[in-house]
DNA sequence: CGGAAAATTGACTTTCTTCAAAGCTTGTGG
DNA sequence: CCACAAGCTTTGAAGAAAGTCAATTTTCCG
């Protein structure tokens, strides 16, 4: 079974009729191969930090490139885990679901970022990955990745580092969810986006938010109304320009400082206030 | 450099004088080796799910066993990453810290659970690990683990699964922090402990909480007063007995249902309420 | 026993959510 | 091209949940 048969679902089709791995025989969205060694994302994707020889090893992996249209999913919770997915362009969100139907967005994914690591644990994905706009991905068959890396200690190490980085990332999300006010959360979210956009060669101070306010709220542990209000509050503080989904950060430095000392601008050097909000 | 020189800090000693890896030449807390193959925790620790042959491979690793007293740390943020630590007995907490001093407990660790995976990403730990009682750990030198596993595809896979499991675990914590009320969070916390205690052969309905209310609060994204109030609320609902740090769950099933339908007992089958709280 | 730390409880405040209404966007079809 | 419906987004007012501050009580340990 190769990556070519992995299910990529399209919006509007009933999810329940799918069984991962048996759909998409025709694979109308397949695109020509794009080797890692010449990919414009190689500095911020899986190959980052690897030697040219190792990247050539990656090139030999039978991974495939595909289009996914807005609303389409790469996988859903419970699907058999076969591939890791690297975003080539566009944007995705990851969601986890509780038995009772509660959902939470656990991340937004820019080009070069890796999706599906949660499937390694049990052999089935624990979350879903949904395209927030028409996108392209590389599907990397995990079995093949393992085979290739078994011969290469460095590559093994790189994969381990990728997983560990995901753990660290989630640590900081927990910190955000557990100890920040609404305003701090939104600021942290925008700053994180800003940094990641910059790394990818986009403007760090101006970008389109592909996701809805509800998605942002779910990610930040807030209601969509609160997200909306917090946006207008940041705009009133002259930290942002917001026009619908388009955001411009007026002062990155100031926004960053909104993370430390909130509300009143005078408490930066307070000796013993620990800065915690709720 | 072997695991024997890894720093384990003791409470009361100044953290700043330590440099990871150069302390503890005398290693007064070293204990005799305890091979995985005969360890009573092998069903719920690193060796879980491995074949006898692979466990023998683990036995050959130069890992060391040590005591850590209450308040001692295995590592602190920024320490050079050398070892993974498996809890042998006792209990630990993990904390992450923000630049401004904000802290958050990211997990509590029971015997058989693994600590330090966040160090793989950058070669330095991103969090701290502190003993909540006098404990014992196995220190597994990561470099040696890599060497051993490079020859063994199965063992490699097992390690990857451990890391992925951590990612999944953190997903569910995010869900908790992002979408649960105080009562649900505390119930989820106790149920998680209950399950993990049971796996380890302890009573699933009765246990000592080694951590303070403040630690629980930090972990759950609540203030310690709220934790205290929520405990008394659960006691009044006859779901728990709480005597100081000793907790007895009166009805596991009922407590579990406190996660779905809260507050008013009548909303279990509501057709379109999505169940979200805050 | 005594003092320090941890936990509980109460009163009050703040923040965020909930509910509701209205304004914008976007896309579709006459 | 315009009208209109559907889906987001914004905004307001009221309510609920958790935080803050403060006073006590309990526990822990030397």
């Amino acid at each position: 079974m190769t990556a070519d048969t992995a299910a990529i679902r399209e919006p509007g089709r009933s999810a329940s009729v799918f069984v991962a791995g048996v759909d998409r025989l025709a694979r109308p969205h397949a695109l020509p191969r794009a080797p890692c060694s010449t990919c414009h994302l190689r500095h911020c994707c899986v190959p980052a930090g690897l030697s040219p020889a190792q990247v050539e090893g990656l090139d030999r992996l039978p991974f495939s490139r595909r289009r996914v249209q807005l609303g389409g999913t790469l996988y859903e919770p419970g699907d058999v885990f076969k591939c890791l997915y690297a975003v080539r362009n566009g944007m995705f969100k990851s969601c986890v679901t509780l038995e009772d139907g509660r959902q939470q967005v656990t991340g937004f994914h820019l080009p070069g970022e890796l999706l599906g690591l949660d499937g390694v644990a049990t052999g089935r994905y624990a979350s879903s990955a949904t395209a927030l706009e028409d996108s392209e991905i590389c599907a990397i068959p995990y079995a093949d990745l393992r085979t290739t890396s078994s011969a290469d200690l460095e590559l093994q190490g790189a994969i381990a580092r990728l997983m560990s980085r995901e753990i660290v990332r989630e640590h900081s999300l927990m910190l955000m969810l557990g100890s920040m006010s609404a305003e701090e959360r939104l600021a942290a979210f925008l700053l994180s986006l800003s940094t990641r956009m910059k790394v990818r060669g986009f403007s760090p101070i101006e970008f389109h938010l592909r996701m809805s306010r509800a998605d942002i709220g779910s990610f930040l542990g807030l209601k969509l109304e609160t997200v909306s209000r917090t946006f207008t509050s940041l705009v009133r503080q002259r930290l942002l320009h917001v026009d619908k989904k388009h955001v411009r950060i007026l002062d990155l430095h100031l926004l960053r400082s909104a993370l430390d000392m909130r509300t009143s601008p005078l408490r930066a050097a307070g000796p013993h206030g620990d800065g915690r909000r709720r």
Side-chain angles (χ1 to χ4, degrees), chain A residues 100-142:
Chain A
D100 62 1
R102 259 183 279 209
Q103 277 207 341
Q104 172 130 356
V105 174
T106 55
F108 298 106
H109 308 274
L110 301 184
E113 295 178 334
L114 204 58
L115 284 153
L117 286 172
D118 61 346
V120 173
T122 64
R124 290 179 179 274
Y125 296 102
S127 58
S128 66
T130 309
L132 293 172
E133 60 184 310
D134 292 346
S135 304
E136 275 177 45
I137 51 89
C138 290
I140 307 162
Y142 183 64

Side-chain angles (χ1 to χ4, degrees), chain A residues 123-258:
Chain A
R124 290 179 179 274
Y125 296 102
S127 58
S128 66
T130 309
L132 293 172
E133 60 184 310
D134 292 346
S135 304
E136 275 177 45
I137 51 89
C138 290
I140 307 162
Y142 183 64
D144 296 307
L145 182 63
R146 275 185 36 149
T147 311
T148 300
S149 70
S150 70
D152 185 340
L153 194 61
E154 246 335 288
L155 185 54
Q156 264 174 58
I159 298 168
R161 279 195 296 277
L162 282 173
M163 301 193 75
S164 178
R165 215 170 56 186
E166 181 70 8
I167 293 172
V168 174
R169 185 187 75 90
E170 301 200 351
H171 277 172
S172 65
L173 290 179
M174 287 177 56
L175 213 158
M176 177 187 80
L177 289 169
S179 66
M180 285 186 184
S181 70
E183 205 160 282
E184 290 173 307
R185 289 181 204 197
L186 191 58
F189 166 67
L190 294 171
L191 287 169
S192 157
L193 266 186
S194 166
T195 310
R196 288 148 67 202
M197 295 296 268
K198 186 173 186 178
V199 169
R200 282 152 188 82
F202 301 114
S203 165
I205 60 161
E206 195 163 12
F207 38 79
H208 250 75
L209 300 173
R210 254 51 207 227
M211 68 296 285
S212 68
R213 299 288 191 258
D215 280 338
I216 298 174
S218 170
F219 180 61
L220 299 179
L222 302 169
K223 294 294 166 192
L224 65 106
E225 294 95 329
T226 307
V227 173
S228 181
R229 276 185 248 271
T230 309
F231 263 122
T232 54
S233 158
L234 291 178
V235 167
R236 274 203 209 105
Q237 293 171 55
R238 311 207 171 286
L239 293 170
L240 298 180
H241 270 179
V242 177
D243 177 25
K244 216 56 201 150
K245 303 219 170 209
H246 191 87
V247 171
R248 186 146 57 89
I249 299 172
L250 296 182
D251 188 336
L252 263 176
H253 211 259
L254 244 156
L255 189 61
R256 192 157 287 128
S257 71

Side-chain angles (χ1 to χ4, degrees), chain A residues 41-74:
Chain A
L41 289 166
R42 62 187 182 280
H43 70 290
C44 62
C45 188
V46 178
L50 291 179
S51 75
Q54 280 141 10
V55 178
E56 269 179 47
L58 285 180
D59 284 348
R60 282 192 291 275
L61 282 175
F63 65 81
S64 55
R65 189 171 142 207
R66 307 244 196 71
R67 267 192 252 278
V68 186
Q69 63 182 271
L70 190 159
T73 62
L74 296 172

